[in-house]
Amino acid sequence: MLSSLHVSNFGVIEDLSIELMPGMTAITGETGAGKTLIVEALNAIMSARGGTHQIRSGTESALIEATFRDPDIYLARVIAKNSRGRCYVDQDLVPQPELFKKGSELIELYGQHGQLGLLQPGKQREALDIYGNIDQTKLVKTKKAISSIRKEIDGYGGSTKALENEIDYLNEAISRIERLGVQEPDEIEKLKEKEEFLSKSVEILECLLEAKSLVLGNEYSSNSAKDAVSKSINILLNNRVEQLNPLIDLLNQINLTIEEVALEIRNLEQIVEADPEELRSTQERRFALNDLARLYGGSLEAVLEFKKESQNKIGKFINSAGNLEKLQQELRALGAEQELLEQEIGRSRRAVAQSLGQKVTKRLRELALPNAEISIELDDSPSCEGVSFNFRANPGMEMAPINKVASGGELSRAMLALRLVMSPSTGSSNDPKVLIFDEVDAGVGGNAAVYVGNALYELSKGRQVIVVTHLAQVAAFSDQQIVIEKTSDSSSSVTAARGLSGNERLIEISRMLSGMKGSESGVKHAQDLLDEASRLKESDGKLPGLFSI
């Protein structure tokens, strides 16, 4: 239940705190005092409707805090003009959607300012199922099993054929790798070096021939470096004097070096061959290996790893083919089970839809809508998943979805009627604990207002109900009454709240009845009304019908 609400700098509210009780609470006050701001403040912790336009003039931020008991939960929202707002759940800073989700779980608000939970298609279907005691546990379990098996099948590729295609692809990839005989991860780099060497072989050979000619001479000339050095040595030896010995030694060393150069040239001539065919085959293999690397990982190391993994996968896939067929059989069986369960749920929904519509209509006509009618429309799917609550206020009007044609007051009373019909079945933990009604008594007066008040009290048994009302007949049934008052001066207006009891409550009820506070006749009338409401609350709460169905 909502145990306390604190609001500051929100609209005309400067600082307001309300302590709330279980059962039915009536929020009253003169028109313009700020009763609806209480509803808007609670709505601000359920949705994004609260905006900077609601921040009190002259302040920078507004604060709404709501504290709940059983379970103990604290919700808060700060709406700021010049910075991002903040949201809290149990003192933890949370994103807005998390606050709104938690707020909607704890509060259900009916009126023009509220999110009418039971008017959403999914909630309408849920209401029908609760009323008809329709259990979807088996269907939900079957759908989860189907989803799980489909994911498992997708892991195998989706079908036996897809698995076979994957095996064929891996086999072809392995064959392609083996045909090229990939062994070393650095073969592409080695082929690049060889290709570069082969592409330059002609130029290298020409250089070697020229060097050979210079060093050793050729068939056309004997003018070689070796001949020149040898000739110089012979001349110096024939004219030998002691001073020439160092030069002769140096020339002999040069001659030995020339012989070493000649030997290296002959060795290179044997290695370097201008072979265009070898160059072409080297290039073709490098291109083929590059293609392979591009297809299977980007490098030959990745190609070799891919081959190893593919060989392992093929073995697993062959074993998986039998598992896949088994899974597909299970999927077919679960699909048939789902179809039967959906048909059963569809029959159950069709069986109770008319009854729910009639009972809600009966209740609605007791709430000062004597000609109103509610019907439950189902779609033609096997399980009747599409559920629409249709409404018309008067005969001759077409039935249409209630959230499109009903006014705020009609919506509130329709939801009140629905809640009353469902109340024996709504003890689930998912049912919001706090029901807030705004405008539920719009256009209602006299004895009809007594029926509305009694209906709200009846609904509050076992749950907390908060109603914003201007009718004394409604407020008289409440377990707690809170008055909202506004005081103004030339510069500002301030709204405050206080709980009423005893004589203060009598005076407020008399004001609501006659428009005047504390008149003797008004107070007497107020006391009579409170006594009558008390008597009805202590009885079974049954009132004679105002309107027939």
Side-chain angles (χ1 to χ4, degrees):
M1 61 163 279
L2 178 64
S3 60
S4 67
L5 176 68
H6 174 240
V7 182
S8 65
N9 298 329
F10 188 78
V12 295
I13 298 174
E14 183 177 25
D15 191 77
L16 179 148
S17 294
I18 300 175
E19 298 296 323
L20 294 145
M21 297 168 49
M24 178 180 169
T25 296
I27 296 177
T28 64
E30 294 186 6
T31 301
K35 298 187 296 296
T36 299
L37 280 175
I38 305 300
V39 177
E40 291 179 1
L42 287 168
N43 200 23
I45 60 173
M46 297 170 59
S47 71
R49 293 191 183 189
T52 54
H53 66 283
Q54 292 175 304
I55 298 174
R56 181 176 170 82
S57 177
T59 64
E60 295 300 315
S61 64
L63 170 66
I64 300 105
E65 298 175 289
T67 304
F68 297 82
R69 287 207 313 265
D70 301 326
D72 294 336
I73 295 174
Y74 168 83
L75 304 181
R77 181 179 174 190
V78 176
I79 305 170
K81 280 184 180 177
N82 300 316
S83 62
R84 294 184 64 182
R86 302 184 300 281
C87 298
Y88 299 89
V89 174
D90 290 334
Q91 309 297 333
D92 294 326
L93 188 64
V94 298
Q96 268 194 0
E98 187 173 336
L99 172 69
F100 299 157
K101 179 176 182 295
K102 180 59 71 174
S104 297
E105 289 172 357
L106 296 169
I107 300 170
E108 199 163 289
L109 201 162
Y110 300 118
Q112 65 174 342
H113 302 284
Q115 292 182 334
L116 301 170
L118 286 175
L119 297 183
Q120 300 167 6
K123 292 292 186 179
Q124 292 180 10
R125 182 174 59 248
E126 182 182 336
L128 180 64
D129 289 348
I130 292 172
Y131 170 76
N133 198 26
I134 298 170
D135 187 3
Q136 293 196 72
T137 305
K138 288 183 179 179
L139 179 59
V140 170
K141 185 178 179 181
T142 300
K143 286 182 175 180
K144 285 183 178 179
I146 288 173
S147 177
S148 176
I149 288 176
R150 280 179 175 160
K151 286 180 181 178
E152 201 170 346
I153 288 174
D154 288 343
Y156 288 128
S159 67
T160 305
K161 181 64 178 175
L163 202 58
E164 291 172 352
N165 290 340
E166 182 69 11
I167 292 171
D168 290 344
Y169 164 75
L170 293 176
N171 276 326
E172 174 58 30
I174 291 169
S175 297
R176 186 172 183 178
I177 294 169
E178 289 179 342
R179 282 197 299 271
L180 282 173
V182 179
Q183 298 295 333
E184 300 177 350
D186 62 345
E187 185 178 357
I188 291 177
E189 286 71 25
K190 289 182 178 179
L191 287 172
K192 282 182 182 178
E193 294 174 2
K194 183 178 180 181
E195 183 182 334
E196 184 177 359
F197 182 78
L198 289 171
S199 65
K200 295 180 178 179
S201 60
V202 172
E203 184 180 349
I204 293 170
L205 280 173
E206 288 176 352
C207 179
L208 290 174
L209 288 172
E210 185 176 353
K212 182 179 178 182
S213 176
L214 290 171
V215 173
L216 300 175
N218 55 47
E219 56 183 320
Y220 305 107
S221 172
S222 59
N223 296 325
S224 66
K226 181 175 177 58
D227 290 340
V229 172
S230 296
K231 183 177 179 180
S232 296
I233 291 172
N234 289 332
I235 292 171
L236 291 172
L237 287 173
N238 289 334
N239 299 283
R240 190 164 187 171
V241 291
E242 187 175 348
Q243 290 85 348
L244 295 176
N245 286 338
L247 178 58
I248 292 170
D249 291 340
L250 183 59
L251 289 171
N252 281 327
Q253 290 177 10
I254 292 172
N255 208 16
L256 289 172
T257 301
I258 289 172
E259 287 177 358
E260 289 177 359
V261 170
L263 179 62
E264 186 62 28
I265 289 172
R266 292 189 189 97
N267 289 336
L268 287 172
E269 282 180 324
Q270 293 177 1
I271 296 172
V272 179
E273 297 181 3
D275 189 343
E277 181 60 30
E278 187 176 1
L279 176 61
R280 184 185 62 78
S281 65
T282 300
Q283 289 174 330
E284 286 179 351
R285 180 164 179 79
R286 184 172 67 84
F287 292 155
L289 291 177
N290 275 329
D291 287 342
L292 205 63
R294 179 176 52 81
L295 288 171
Y296 305 122
S299 67
L300 288 186
E301 183 178 3
V303 169
L304 293 170
E305 183 63 26
F306 173 81
K307 176 186 174 184
K308 181 180 177 182
E309 290 179 356
S310 297
Q311 288 168 333
N312 292 334
K313 281 183 179 180
I314 288 172
K316 291 179 181 178
F317 284 167
I318 290 171
N319 293 331
S320 297
N323 293 336
L324 182 57
E325 180 58 34
K326 181 182 177 182
L327 288 171
Q328 288 172 332
Q329 289 175 357
E330 289 181 21
L331 184 63
R332 287 191 289 270
L334 285 169
E337 182 180 346
Q338 177 182 341
E339 186 176 344
L340 290 174
L341 289 170
E342 286 178 340
Q343 290 172 355
E344 181 182 343
I345 287 172
R347 286 192 296 270
S348 298
R349 285 173 175 163
R350 284 189 290 271
V352 299
Q354 183 177 3
S355 169
L356 177 59
Q358 289 175 342
K359 288 184 178 181
V360 173
T361 296
K362 183 176 185 299
R363 279 289 194 172
L364 194 55
R365 291 181 178 182
E366 293 174 349
L367 301 173
L369 289 172
N371 299 311
E373 184 179 354
I374 292 277
S375 67
I376 315 298
E377 182 181 350
L378 307 176
D379 70 8
D380 56 1
S381 64
S383 60
C384 301
E385 284 295 292
V387 177
S388 175
F389 283 35
N390 293 338
F391 172 82
R392 66 180 174 195
N394 294 292
M397 299 175 66
E398 289 189 9
M399 301 291 291
I402 189 170
N403 56 330
K404 293 183 179 179
V405 297
S407 67
E410 289 167 342
L411 283 171
S412 291
R413 272 174 273 173
M415 291 304 100
L416 173 56
L418 178 61
R419 276 290 185 179
L420 287 166
V421 171
M422 292 176 57
S423 58
S425 310
T426 52
S428 70
S429 59
N430 292 325
D431 188 39
K433 291 180 172 57
V434 185
L435 304 182
I436 301 173
F437 290 88
D438 186 23
E439 290 194 287
V440 71
D441 52 14
V444 178
N447 200 34
V450 176
Y451 278 81
V452 173
N454 186 66
L456 287 163
Y457 174 73
E458 182 183 344
L459 186 62
S460 71
K461 295 175 181 177
R463 62 163 56 82
Q464 188 180 32
V465 172
I466 300 171
V467 56
V468 177
T469 182
H470 66 280
L471 292 180
Q473 295 93 325
V474 173
F477 280 88
S478 64
D479 301 300
Q480 177 187 27
Q481 185 170 346
I482 295 172
V483 65
I484 306 298
E485 298 171 315
K486 182 171 72 173
T487 57
S488 301
D489 57 28
S490 59
S491 60
S492 66
S493 297
V494 176
T495 289
R498 60 190 178 91
L500 300 178
S501 61
N503 194 54
E504 286 185 327
R505 189 180 185 195
L506 270 175
I507 292 173
E508 173 64 8
I509 293 288
S510 71
R511 181 200 65 78
M512 296 173 74
L513 284 168
S514 64
M516 295 186 299
K517 287 187 178 181
S519 68
E520 185 177 345
S521 60
V523 170
K524 183 178 185 307
H525 191 182
Q527 186 63 62
D528 289 343
L529 182 59
L530 287 169
D531 291 343
E532 180 63 16
S534 178
R535 184 187 66 78
L536 289 170
K537 288 163 64 174
E538 290 173 1
S539 67
D540 60 7
K542 298 297 182 182
L543 297 174
L546 283 178
F547 310 104
S548 63
I549 191 164

